[in-house]
Amino acid sequence: MRRLAIATLDANWEHDHTVPSRTLYPHQWSWDSAFIAIGLAHVRPDRAWRELRTLFAAQWADGRVPHIVFNPALRVGSYFPGPEFWGSAAAEGAPAAATSGIVQPPVHAQAAWLVHRRAPSEASAQALRWLYPRLVAQQRYLTGRRDVGGAGLAAIVHPWESGLDNSPAWDAPMAAVAADAAVMRAYRRHDTAHADAAHRPTDLDYARYVAIVASYRDRRYRDRRYSDQALAGWHPFLVECPLFNAALGAAEHALARIAAVVGADPGPHRDRAARITEAVVRRLHDPVTGTFHPRDLRTDRLIPARTVLGLMPLILPDLPGRQVRAVLTEACSARFGLAPRMPRPLPTHDRTAPDFEPLRYWRGPSWMNTNWLLWRGLRAHHRPDLAAGLRESMLALVATGGCHEYFHPDTAAGLGSAAFSWTASLLLDTLAEG
Ligand code: 2M8
């Protein structure tokens, strides 16, 4: 399995970054690169740092780290929506490289810390010194311009920013976005040429994805908080996501550790981490369901769907005991099946829900990254029994399905891309840290 993982990562290496998949995602993706660096640290540490440096070289002046950095050498049409659709060059403060204008969960500080901790050296300390101000700027952007709700959390402006694109969590806010599936006749989807359409988002989903991007792009991705351009006034999709904000808080914990290495003050990071955890609990925890839910800022209501997103605040090391227990109850229920002995890792959606779809992307299949995050959270909260059960099931998943992008949650049959980078890299980390 280790050999398969290394071969997958080597085959997906593209001169200064790793593509998530040669067929489906041939450019550089933001949170993929963070997960990839974590695995590369075990086998190709220089490349792990290169991966993060390449991504942050495309950071915008306002601190946003774009979710895609486009490879200019690829032909037009190698991914949809491509650089011509995003039009980043027209936006103020965009880098020279063509990028998207949206972000993904900020798991990069955590990744940088793990890469350094794996083999601390003068070179890794130097890499941290380069990254530290950039990671701080990323946090500043997210907790500043993106604090649309005014409570100290970051709002996502597109389902793609969550990383769980078509999660049932987004059905309600997406239903309010005006779009017609027929507009997709004007475009050529790239994903359905490489993967089964029944395993991917629908055309109506895509029509809405495109409409939300167009709305943001046409305002040149401006998102000042207080002005006539404030996102709250016009943007069709604004949500506080539990995974995204748990990553935001965990990043401050990682930055506190990084600060100590680079000679900066860890104190402000610890303070910010505490404030984010408090806000995640206050804004996103529902004492009735016991789990966390996204908050739709357009209605100021919690979104009722119980998806794997609701378990992700477990990655916050300072999550209060009451919420830790509640999340574990949810994770160990029939909805998700966490146990000291479990045949399969957690699905991405509540197995008992009527809209659970075992084959469709983020609406049911098991993914390595959400399970890896939970595994880390279980260890942080001293549940070695559950962490061990989950780890075994993750290894069995890849042993059965290979380094696929996602997996049937019962059979472990591989779905999507057959050579997917973060499956390979997180497998390496899971194997190493047994
Ligand atoms: C998927 O998202 C992209 C859009 O960003 C797509 O569907 O084309 C998601 O699984 C996302 O989490 C991931 O980062 C990306 C690349 O692997 O693919």
Side-chain angles (χ1 to χ4, degrees):
M1 283 168 75
R2 195 178 140 87
R3 274 202 303 276
L4 171 69
I6 296 171
T8 303
L9 289 170
D10 283 351
N12 287 348
W13 175 251
E14 179 59 54
H15 73 278
D16 63 1
H17 66 277
T18 310
V19 298
S21 149
R22 290 258 167 218
T23 53
L24 274 163
Y25 318 105
H27 301 281
Q28 181 174 30
W29 259 260
S30 169
W31 81 327
D32 296 63
S33 282
F35 291 130
I36 289 164
I38 290 166
L40 285 177
H42 295 281
V43 290
R44 312 255 187 265
D46 293 349
R47 231 190 243 177
W49 291 120
R50 188 88 195 273
E51 184 81 39
L52 292 173
R53 271 203 304 272
T54 303
L55 178 68
F56 278 83
Q59 186 170 31
W60 290 34
D62 61 12
R64 89 182 72 191
V65 177
H67 102 297
I68 306 175
V69 183
F70 290 104
N71 176 353
L74 294 186
R75 61 170 179 80
V76 175
S78 52
Y79 177 75
F80 176 81
E84 61 294 339
F85 188 84
W86 290 94
S88 62
E92 195 189 321
T99 72
S100 71
I102 61 171
V103 299
Q104 275 187 325
V107 286
H108 313 82
Q110 174 92 4
W113 175 250
L114 291 175
V115 176
H116 168 73
R117 204 187 60 179
R118 172 82 195 142
S121 66
E122 182 38 44
S124 70
Q126 206 182 323
L128 286 182
R129 279 194 287 277
W130 188 88
L131 275 171
Y132 176 74
R134 292 165 172 84
L135 291 164
V136 170
Q138 177 186 29
Q139 294 290 106
R140 199 179 305 125
Y141 168 74
L142 295 173
T143 53
R145 291 183 177 202
R146 286 300 190 88
D147 182 9
V148 180
L153 298 182
I156 58 169
V157 302
H158 196 295
W160 283 337
E161 293 203 314
S162 74
L164 275 67
D165 305 357
N166 66 341
S167 168
W170 313 135
D171 289 0
M174 281 284 271
V177 176
D180 179 352
V183 304
M184 291 310 294
R185 288 199 211 122
Y187 301 108
R188 227 170 116 223
R189 276 178 71 173
H190 169 80
D191 58 327
T192 41
H194 293 274
D196 190 332
H199 304 172
R200 296 283 310 177
T202 63
D203 268 2
L204 182 56
D205 291 330
Y206 258 79
R208 289 184 169 129
Y209 296 152
V210 163
I212 302 171
V213 171
S215 151
Y216 199 25
R217 179 200 60 205
D218 294 350
R219 287 176 172 81
R220 309 217 169 149
Y221 305 109
R222 286 194 196 109
D223 42 18
R224 303 202 191 288
R225 264 182 75 194
Y226 307 105
S227 74
D228 53 351
Q229 293 161 354
L231 281 169
W234 54 270
H235 196 70
F237 182 97
L238 290 167
V239 173
E240 289 173 355
C241 167
L243 189 166
F244 197 102
N245 283 290
L248 191 73
E252 290 296 344
H253 286 282
L255 282 168
R257 291 171 147 173
I258 295 172
V261 175
V262 304
D265 182 2
H269 295 299
R270 290 201 197 103
D271 294 346
R272 284 200 280 270
R275 283 203 296 274
I276 292 169
T277 299
E278 186 275 325
V280 166
V281 171
R282 181 164 44 82
R283 305 262 305 164
L284 308 182
H285 188 251
D286 180 351
V288 177
T289 62
T291 191
F292 288 84
H293 298 261
R295 179 174 290 274
D296 186 344
L297 294 177
R298 296 242 139 261
T299 58
D300 201 22
R301 293 244 166 87
L302 293 181
I303 296 167
R306 296 167 86 139
T307 71
V308 78
L309 291 166
L311 311 177
M312 293 296 123
L314 203 69
I315 65 173
L316 289 165
D318 52 354
L319 190 68
R322 195 158 157 242
Q323 276 74 33
V324 171
R325 287 190 292 279
V327 164
L328 290 180
T329 303
E330 174 83 352
C332 293
S333 74
R335 298 175 197 280
F336 293 101
L338 176 66
R341 294 179 78 80
M342 50 196 289
R344 296 284 173 234
L346 280 72
T348 37
H349 186 34
D350 170 2
R351 280 177 181 280
T352 67
D355 55 354
F356 176 75
E357 288 186 74
L359 295 172
R360 202 186 286 278
Y361 216 35
W362 294 100
R363 303 183 70 88
S366 297
W367 287 72
M368 268 300 262
N369 65 335
T370 46
N371 280 288
W372 181 88
L373 288 166
L374 186 69
W375 176 61
R376 288 261 159 197
L378 290 169
R379 291 177 356 153
H381 291 284
H382 313 294
R383 289 307 304 259
D385 52 337
L386 294 173
L390 180 56
R391 175 176 182 270
E392 285 305 315
S393 73
M394 288 160 69
L395 298 182
L397 185 75
V398 185
T400 309
C403 281
H404 262 87
E405 184 182 1
Y406 46 105
F407 303 86
H408 189 291
D410 301 325
T411 65
L415 303 167
S417 161
F420 192 65
S421 297
W422 85 39
T423 302
S425 63
L426 297 177
L427 171 71
L428 288 174
D429 191 66
T430 311
L431 280 169
E433 307 249 337

